[in-house]
C-alpha cells in the first residue's frame, strides 16, 4: 500500500522533547527482556567503563578516527589495520572512483531537472528545499549504476557474514535502493537532522526478531563483548517499521551512504558521525533499563552525573529514551549522556565531487546545522543493500514505482514525478549490472557460495517474474 504524503521531517523526533508516555506494555517488555537483573547491571557498568575510555579517544583525535581510503584500496582490498578501524568506527570515506567532472555533471543535471519541473517539485523545507522528494532523475540512475559505486558496495557488503550456515542472502549481489538527494545552499538550515539512528526506533526492542540481534547485550554479564555488528544472520527477519511511517526504511540496509556532488567539509553542512559502533550499540540497547537514582527535575545535560553508581536498574518505567513510535531513534545529551555527544559527534573530513561515504546501519549520525561554506553542499543518498528475499519483494515494488514515476515504496506517496519532464526511463539503464540492480534482468552465477545464496537468487528471480 502506498505511503501517505509527507516529508522527511515527519520521521524524525525532536531530541529535545519527550514524546508522550509509552503504554504499560513497554514496562512489561523490559521485564521480559531482563532475565537476570544482576547480570544486566554488570553489563551496564562494564559498558560505561569502556565508553569513558573510547569517548576520550574520540575527543582527543576528532575526525582523524574516520577511515579514508583511495578507491584503489577498495579494488585491491583493505589491510587488516584498515578493516579493524572500519569495524570499530563503522564509517568510511572512499576517495576517487567517480571522476570529479562526472559527479559535477550529475549535479548540473539535477538542477536542470528541478528547474524544468519547478511547479511539481516537493521537498523539505518547503520554503527553501534542501532535501528533494525526487527519486527517478537520470543523474540518480547514472550514479546508482556507476561501476565504481557497484564495486565499492560489493566490497563493503562482503565484510558481513552469517553465523548461521546457508542463510538466504547474497552479499555479493548489491541491489539499488532509491533515495533522495540534497542540494544545500550556504546559511543556517530550517530543518536540521540531529543525532539519530535510522532503520527503526522502538522496533529495536519491540520487534522480537530485531530484538534477537542484541541478545548478547541483553543477556548481561560480559557476553555483550561478543556482540558482532557484522553478523547478518539475525537481521534478515527484523522489522524496522512497525508503525507504517513514511520515510522509515523497511528493507535490510547494512550500509547507509551518500556520494558527494560538490566539495564539502566541516562547517559546510556536512555529515556528522559518532565513530564508535559496537560499544555505542551496547550502550543504546541497555540505556532504557536504567535511570538516575536521584534525578534532578531541572538538571542541565552537562550536569547529569555519569558515574555508574548514580544509575539504577528500573524495569517499572515505560520510557525508552529517544524512542517515539513511528520515528527514528533519536539521541541527545539528555537521553544518552554517557556518549558525550557534544564532543564525540564529529564532522567528517572534507570530500570532493565523486567521493563516497558509507556508514553502518547502526551508527549514530547527524547533519551540521550551519553551512558556512561558499558554494552548495550536495549529495546523492545511495546505500549498499544486498539481495535477500525481503529486499527482492521491495525491489519488485520499487521497479513498478520507477516505471510509473512514483516515489519508492518506503517514501511519502503522491503523484511523485509521474508528470515531470525528463525523468529517467528504462532506456537510461545502459549496463547489465545496472539492469540487474534495478530488477530488470535476472540474477545469476555459474557457481554459488552456498545453498543459501542459490536459494535466495532463485526465489528473487521468481519474485521479479523471471
Amino acid at each position: 500500500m502506498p505511503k501517505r504524503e509527507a516529508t522527511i521531517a515527519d520521521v524524525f523526533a525532536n531530541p529535545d522533547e519527550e514524546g508522550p508516555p509509552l503504554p504499560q506494555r513497554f514496562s512489561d517488555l523490559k521485564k521480559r527482556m531482563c532475565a537476570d537483573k544482576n547480570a544486566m547491571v554488570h553489563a551496564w557498568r562494564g559498558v560505561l567503563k569502556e565508553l569513558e575510555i573510547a569517548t576520550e579517544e574520540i575527543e582527543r583525535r576528532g575526525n582523524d578516527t574516520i577511515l579514508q581510503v583511495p578507491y584503489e584500496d577498495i579494488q585491491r582490498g583493505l589491510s587488516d589495520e584498515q578493516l579493524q578501524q572500519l569495524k570499530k568506527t563503522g564509517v568510511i570515506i572512499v576517495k576517487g572512483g567517480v571522476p570529479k567532472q562526472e559527479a559535477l555533471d550529475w549535479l548540473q543535471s539535477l538542477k536542470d531537472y528541478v528547474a524544468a519541473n519547478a511547479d511539481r517539485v516537493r521537498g523539505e523545507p518547503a520554503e527553501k528545499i534542501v532535501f528533494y522528494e525526487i527519486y527517478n532523475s537520470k543523474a540518480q540512475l547514472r550514479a546508482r549504476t556507476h561501476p565504481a559505486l557497484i564495486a565499492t558496495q560489493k566490497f563493503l557488503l562482503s565484510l558481513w557474514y552469517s553465523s548461521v550456515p546457508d542463510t538466504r542472502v547474497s552479499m555479493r549481489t548489491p541491489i539499488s535502493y532509491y533515495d533522495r538527494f540534497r542540494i544545500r545552499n550556504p546559511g543556517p538550515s530550517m530543518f536540521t537532522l540531529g543525532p539519530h539512528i535510522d532503520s527503526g526506533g522502538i522496533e529495536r526492542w519491540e520487534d522480537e526478531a530485531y530484538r534477537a540481534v542484541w541478545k548478547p547485550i541483553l543477556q548481561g554479564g560480559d557476553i555483550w563483548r561478543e556482540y558482532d555488528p557484522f553478523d547478518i544472520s539475525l537481521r534478515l527477519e527484523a522489522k524496522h517499521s512497525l508503525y507504517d511511517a513514511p520515510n522509515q526504511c523497511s528493507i535490510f540496509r547494512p550500509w547507509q551512504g551518500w556520494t558527494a556532488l560538490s566539495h564539502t567539509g566541516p562547517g559546510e553542512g556536512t555529515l556528522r558521525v559518532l565513530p564508535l559502533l559496537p560499544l555505542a550499540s551496547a550502550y543504546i540497547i541497555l540505556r532504557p533499563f536504567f535511570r538516575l537514582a536521584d534525578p534532578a527535575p531541572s538538571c542541565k545535560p552537562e550536569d547529569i552525573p555519569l558515574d555508574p553508581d548514580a544509575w539504577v536498574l528500573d524495569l517499572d518505567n515505560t520510557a525508552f529514551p529517544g524512542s517515539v513510535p513511528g520515528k527514528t531513534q533519536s539521541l541527545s545529551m539528555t537521553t544518552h549522556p554517557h556518549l558525550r555527544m557534544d564532543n564525540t559527534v564529529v564532522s567528517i573530513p572534507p570530500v570532493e565531487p565523486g567521493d563516497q561515504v558509507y556508514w553502518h546501519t547502526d551508527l549514530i549520525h547527524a547533519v551540521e546545522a550551519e553551512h558556512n561554506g561558499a558554494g552548495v553542499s550536495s549529495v546523492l543518498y545511495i546505500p549498499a543493500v544486498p539481495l535477500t528475499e525481503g529486499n527482492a519483494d521491495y525491489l519488485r515494488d520499487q521497479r513498478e514505482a520507477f516505471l510509473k514515476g512514483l516515489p519508492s515504496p518506503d517514501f511519502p506517496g503522491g503523484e511523485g514525478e509521474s508528470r515531470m519532464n525528463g525523468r529517467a526511463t528504462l532506456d537510461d539503464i545502459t549496463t547489465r549490472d545496472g539492469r540487474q540492480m534495478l530488477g530488470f534482468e535476472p540474477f545469476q552465477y555459474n557457481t554459488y557460495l552456498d545453498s543459501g545464496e542459490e536459494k535466495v537468487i532463485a526465489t528473487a528471480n521468481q519474485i521479479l517474474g523471471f
Side-chain angles (χ1 to χ4, degrees):
M1 177 180 294
K3 297 288 181 76
R4 63 177 172 85
E5 289 197 53
T7 70
I8 189 174
D10 292 287
V11 78
F12 293 98
N14 186 333
D16 298 318
E17 295 180 3
E18 287 289 335
L22 296 175
Q24 178 60 35
R25 62 188 175 88
F26 286 96
S27 170
D28 298 337
L29 176 62
K30 288 184 185 182
K31 292 170 184 174
R32 291 199 305 273
M33 286 189 284
C34 182
D36 186 329
K37 294 180 180 180
N38 290 332
M40 184 161 280
V41 171
H42 181 88
W44 171 252
R45 297 177 74 90
V47 167
L48 296 191
K49 181 179 179 180
E50 295 291 332
L51 262 182
E52 185 175 4
I53 299 170
T55 53
E56 286 177 357
E57 179 186 4
I58 297 171
E59 289 183 37
R60 185 176 68 254
R61 296 183 58 199
N63 65 13
D64 285 344
T65 57
I66 296 173
L67 178 64
Q68 301 183 72
V69 301
Y71 175 64
E72 291 74 20
D73 280 9
I74 295 294
Q75 291 177 302
R76 60 175 165 255
L78 300 185
S79 68
D80 289 344
E81 183 179 357
Q82 289 172 322
L83 288 172
Q84 183 179 14
Q85 183 180 356
L86 175 55
K87 291 185 176 183
K88 177 181 178 181
T89 63
V91 59
I92 184 172
I93 298 174
V94 180
K95 312 286 287 185
V98 177
K100 181 176 181 178
Q101 188 56 52
E102 189 170 5
L104 290 172
D105 289 345
W106 291 343
L107 176 57
Q108 186 59 52
S109 177
L110 290 173
K111 290 179 177 179
D112 293 344
Y113 185 57
V114 168
N117 299 280
D119 58 333
R120 301 192 185 282
V121 172
R122 296 178 65 251
E124 183 71 23
E127 302 81 5
K128 191 177 180 181
I129 297 176
V130 173
F131 299 95
Y132 286 81
E133 299 290 342
I134 290 177
Y135 309 88
N136 300 308
S137 70
K138 293 185 178 184
Q140 287 166 298
L141 194 71
R142 294 185 190 116
R144 291 166 185 152
T145 58
H146 192 282
L149 270 71
I150 295 175
T152 301
Q153 292 168 21
K154 285 183 176 180
F155 176 79
L156 292 176
L157 291 174
S158 76
L159 302 182
W160 290 69
Y161 76 100
S162 176
S163 58
V164 177
D166 299 323
T167 297
R168 294 195 177 195
V169 61
S170 179
M171 297 305 290
R172 59 173 172 163
T173 308
I175 64 170
S176 189
Y177 180 80
Y178 292 17
D179 206 332
R180 307 175 178 87
F181 63 86
R182 182 188 82 209
I183 299 179
R184 183 176 180 182
N185 290 304
S189 176
M190 296 174 64
F191 169 61
T192 302
L193 297 179
H196 66 280
I197 310 172
D198 293 302
S199 297
I202 193 69
E203 287 87 352
R204 284 174 173 77
W205 300 269
E206 189 176 7
D207 178 62
E208 184 176 2
Y210 209 167
R211 187 163 69 242
V213 173
W214 323 111
K215 184 178 178 181
I217 299 170
L218 292 169
Q219 280 185 300
D222 290 320
I223 304 175
W224 66 270
R225 300 176 188 276
E226 300 175 11
Y227 165 67
D228 187 344
F230 290 89
D231 184 354
I232 194 176
S233 57
L234 296 175
R235 293 179 180 258
L236 298 184
E237 301 301 321
K239 293 181 177 63
H240 303 140
S241 179
L242 294 177
Y243 297 90
D244 196 34
N247 296 295
Q248 281 278 27
C249 180
S250 64
I251 68 165
F252 174 58
R253 178 180 57 178
W255 294 99
Q256 294 179 246
W258 53 245
T259 298
L261 302 183
S262 66
H263 168 87
T264 186
E268 298 177 349
T270 196
L271 176 73
R272 307 182 73 217
V273 298
L274 200 168
L276 194 62
L277 181 57
L279 184 56
S281 293
Y283 172 73
I284 291 163
I285 294 302
L286 291 174
R287 172 67 183 89
F289 298 88
F290 294 86
R291 63 165 174 82
L292 282 170
D294 187 20
S298 59
C299 188
K300 297 179 180 179
E302 59 269 25
D303 296 331
I304 296 175
L306 304 181
D307 190 309
D309 291 336
W311 294 76
V312 294
L313 185 72
D314 182 3
L315 304 182
D316 294 321
N317 196 321
T318 64
F320 280 71
S323 301
V324 177
K327 306 284 187 178
T328 60
Q329 176 64 42
S330 177
L331 304 100
S332 72
M333 286 291 295
T334 301
T335 61
H336 296 81
H338 298 88
L339 294 175
R340 299 170 173 85
M341 289 189 295
D342 53 342
N343 294 316
T344 58
V345 177
V346 298
S347 300
I348 66 170
V351 295
E352 298 297 329
D355 291 348
Q356 302 171 67
V357 183
Y358 294 91
W359 59 98
H360 189 284
T361 185
D362 297 332
L363 197 71
I364 299 166
H365 59 287
V367 177
E368 290 180 334
E370 299 281 339
H371 175 7
N372 297 314
V376 299
S377 173
S378 183
V379 302
L380 292 170
Y381 295 100
I382 303 177
V385 176
L387 184 64
T388 70
E389 291 178 7
N391 287 0
D393 283 329
Y394 186 89
L395 184 62
R396 175 199 59 214
D397 298 342
Q398 178 180 263
R399 179 181 64 182
E400 185 68 19
F402 166 73
L403 292 174
K404 295 178 179 178
L406 299 175
S408 297
D410 275 344
F411 296 90
E415 70 172 31
E417 297 155 76
S418 59
R419 294 194 288 162
M420 286 191 184
N421 297 316
R423 77 170 193 265
T425 69
L426 187 56
D427 293 337
D428 294 305
I429 311 171
T430 59
T431 66
R432 184 174 181 276
D433 281 348
R435 293 173 70 88
Q436 277 189 332
M437 288 187 73
L438 275 59
F440 290 102
E441 280 200 20
F443 302 101
Q444 57 187 22
Y445 293 103
N446 292 327
T447 59
Y448 297 96
L449 299 179
D450 54 35
S451 64
E453 182 182 63
E454 183 175 10
K455 290 174 182 176
V456 75
I457 287 178
T459 302
N461 285 335
Q462 184 179 21
I463 290 170
L464 293 168
F466 298 123

